[in-house]
Amino acid sequence: MEKTIEIKGLDQSILFGPNDSNLKLVEGAFSSQIFVRGNMLKIKGEKAEVGIISTVFHEMSSTLNRKGLLTQEDVKTIISITANKNGHSTELMDSTVHYGRKGAVSARTVGQEEYIKTVKDNDMVFCVGPAGTGKTFLAVAFAIAALTNREVDRIVLCRPAVEAGENLGFLPGDLKEKVDPYLAPLYDALSDMMPSAQLKPLLEKNRIEVIPLAYMRGRTFNDAFMILDEAQNATTLQMKMFLTRLGVNSRAIITGDITQIDLNKKFESGLLQVIDLLKGINGIGFSKMDVSDIVRHQLVRDIVKAYDKI
């Protein structure tokens, strides 16, 4: 069966989502084919399912008209409720975080699935695991999704600049030239999520801010998604400083690898301390990944295993 729907008076970029993320959610939940030509939407599949999908798009349109926006969570809820009312089960992927420049960012391992669930259930999450497990990549995907869906107004990404002793004034150049080498992995993750044409203005307007941990002091971030990467290299005082920057309607993800602490021996890792200190606090979640969650080249997994035997 085929059914054609005309999209009237709606901004398709919002209805279908950034990079068609909302449309892809619907496509992934059903077996029917969905085609978009101009302002016409064609659904092709079994009669019962075509009717359900038609209702889903009707509810999406109504939600957009009512709220003025449409988030991925709205779409997931609409699909789930509509399908269940009609006795239909879907295969909607709850482990999909964001539809980025290179496609869907989803869980690829059991550990990543648990990490994603923990982030969805808490306002602050600590994720510990070896190199290559996607800790930072998934954190950035969550932040971009929240910004895209207007859940937050800005993203703040930071790292400790341990090699420079947090005293970056001795390095040549302006602030950006001093710290960019330490923040390169965060820029890499952002580039994988968004095309340059979208990313550049967000960086220029500081809606996405990439800074060293030392420059977080004295600030409060409201309506923000905060990420602290390489947190094993934050001292106990720096960790407390970062965690207390959290403002109203803000969220935070803290990632690190406790096997790669580069701090001077006279300093204790703030990540090691906080894992025990903050356990049991409502709204704070903890996720741990291991070698089996490494998603880089197979050799990375073997290398990590080899070093673990030392």
Side-chain angles (χ1 to χ4, degrees), residues 99-168:
Y99 287 96
R101 186 169 63 89
K102 297 182 179 180
V105 179
S106 305
R108 295 171 59 186
T109 69
V110 173
Q112 286 189 353
E113 285 183 357
E114 293 176 354
Y115 175 28
I116 289 172
K117 184 179 185 304
T118 302
V119 174
K120 289 182 176 180
D121 292 342
N122 296 276
D123 287 335
M124 180 179 290
V125 170
F126 294 84
C127 181
V128 174
T133 51
K135 305 181 301 294
T136 303
F137 190 75
L138 288 173
V140 172
F142 267 111
I144 292 293
L147 182 66
T148 301
N149 289 326
R150 303 182 188 178
E151 296 167 12
V152 297
D153 291 334
R154 65 189 307 195
I155 297 172
V156 181
L157 309 127
C158 68
R159 272 185 153 207
V162 171
E163 294 84 349
E166 291 291 348
N167 189 4
L168 300 170

Side-chain angles (χ1 to χ4, degrees), residues 63 75 77:
T63 301
V75 178
T77 300

Side-chain angles (χ1 to χ4, degrees), residues 3 5 23 32 110 137 166 171 198 214 245 253 260 270 306:
K3 183 170 183 177
I5 302 172
L23 180 61
S32 298
V110 173
F137 190 75
E166 291 291 348
L171 296 177
Q198 292 181 22
R245 301 308 93 198
I253 298 179
Q260 293 187 357

